[in-house]
Amino acid sequence: MQVKIIIFGQLTDITGTSVSLDNVTDTDNLVKTMNKLYPGLADKKYLVAVDKKIIAENSLLKENSTVALLPPFSGG
Amino acid sequence: MQVKIIIFGQLTDITGTSVSLDNVTDTDNLVKTMNKLYPGLADKKYLVAVDKKIIAENSLLKENSTVALLPPFSGG
Amino acid sequence: MKDRKPKNIFVQGAIPPSFIADSIQKHSTQTTIGGHSIFLGQVRADMINDKKVASIDYTTYEEMALEKMQEIREGIFEKYDLTCMHVYHSLGNVAAGEISLFVFASAAHRKAAIQACEETVEKIKAELPVWGKELFEDETYQWKENKQSQ
Amino acid sequence: MKDRKPKNIFVQGAIPPSFIADSIQKHSTQTTIGGHSIFLGQVRADMINDKKVASIDYTTYEEMALEKMQEIREGIFEKYDLTCMHVYHSLGNVAAGEISLFVFASAAHRKAAIQACEETVEKIKAELPVWGKELFEDETYQWKENKQSQ
């Protein structure tokens, strides 16, 4: 299963602005995989959104889900 | 002693915009005299200022004092 | 400080939006500012006993109003960490839909600007010797009354 | 209501004062309005470790931000008796001294306009997926962080 991950703010300094992963089934799994690929991510603070909704706990992913990694907002 | 009284807002419909009085020595006295001259004033709500300071109790007037009658403010 | 000549705040007629834009523009050189809070009072075409307010005619006791405004300003600057504050109030005729009050507070951080602006508006409404005469479309009138903090 | 397409709030680059004036002018036909409350966010030339912020580069997760803003708007309109509210946020580069956020709430009475504007600003800062990259004069940068309600 292919999942698209889009990345924002300061996290883009570590990962670039998007990453595609195969073989991730849920968000915990996704975060672990990302931390392995990009060790700099591990100690960063960010929220995870699946299809534009911020998730509070581990969530299953569907084919073509878009996952976003959102560091602390700083608009305004 | 001559005292100048300036009048504002809705009170001007009763008195015009200024009145000069002789023989008034304090503000209580002034208000009584004004109520006699302009009976419509008696039941109106207003503050009295002497030389631009709002007074809370009877105040002696000096030669050339300017007394202002200030109905409720409605700026803005 | 206390003895300086109070700033004039009064402008004849409505406050044009272009004047507000110019005021904002002038602050672009003040790069310690992070937030501006602006309040604009607009004349409402209220219906009162089936008659519509067409405009408000504003008058003031000018010398007293300017001293009072100076006192309000000083209180606000003591209480809040502001970069600057500007206040303009109309005198004379202002038509429904036009702006009669412009309060503009600027600070490094938004909270000070927002609170200072709000408190200044409340004080202007409660303490400034200004009177509005609501002129109806049929040329009759009634004197406006400010309600508490609505 | 819930399904309508969210309004776009994003503008490329700084928000010019003339745009703000035009927005104010457009409200002169809405004669039930008695008060407007406006908040403007301005980019500060902060000194950070002896380097001066020259501009901020804003990016967003646009689809999510527009949905979130729509949700914020709906909450504000349920809570306050507003006539209308407009929000604009910059994307891309905004120089120190320029405006990057414009929140404009209008109501018959001032309290609703003032409170709605303030609450909307707080929610935008806390909930809108927007990021600012502070660019220094020497072309290095750091990512901006919003402090709570300052």
Side-chain angles (χ1 to χ4, degrees), chain D residues 40-85:
Chain D
L40 303 174
Q42 180 167 305
V43 173
R44 272 197 316 271
D46 279 348
M47 291 297 295
I48 301 170
N49 300 330
D50 289 330
K51 296 196 290 188
K52 200 190 229 176
V53 172
S55 65
I56 296 182
D57 193 52
Y58 288 102
T59 49
T60 185
Y61 181 4
E62 185 159 341
E63 302 92 311
M64 183 178 164
L66 296 181
E67 283 190 15
K68 174 53 79 174
M69 191 63 232
Q70 185 65 22
E71 189 189 311
I72 294 172
R73 277 182 71 81
E74 284 169 6
I76 292 287
F77 272 88
E78 270 169 38
K79 187 164 170 187
Y80 299 104
D81 193 9
L82 287 187
T83 310
C84 54
M85 184 165 76

Side-chain angles (χ1 to χ4, degrees), chain A residues 26-60:
Chain A
D26 60 37
T27 53
D28 278 0
N29 188 222
L30 179 145
V31 167
K32 257 181 225 158
T33 307
M34 287 294 284
N35 285 349
K36 224 170 281 176
L37 290 169
Y38 305 97
L41 266 190
D43 65 345
K44 295 292 178 194
K45 226 181 97 182
Y46 57 87
L47 298 169
V48 175
V50 178
D51 296 326
K52 298 180 277 177
K53 299 293 165 206
I54 290 169
I55 55 149
E57 50 192 32
N58 188 27
S59 302
L60 285 178

Side-chain angles (χ1 to χ4, degrees), chain D residues 12-13 17 41 49 62 64 72 75 83 91 96 99 107 109 117-118 122-123 126 134 137-138 142 147:
Chain D
Q12 205 58 38
N49 300 330
E62 185 159 341
M64 183 178 164
I72 294 172
T83 310
L91 291 182
I99 306 293
H109 299 288
C117 182
E118 178 172 10
E122 293 306 322
K123 284 190 187 292
E134 294 173 317
E137 286 174 335
D138 67 358
Q142 83 167 17
K147 292 181 193 109

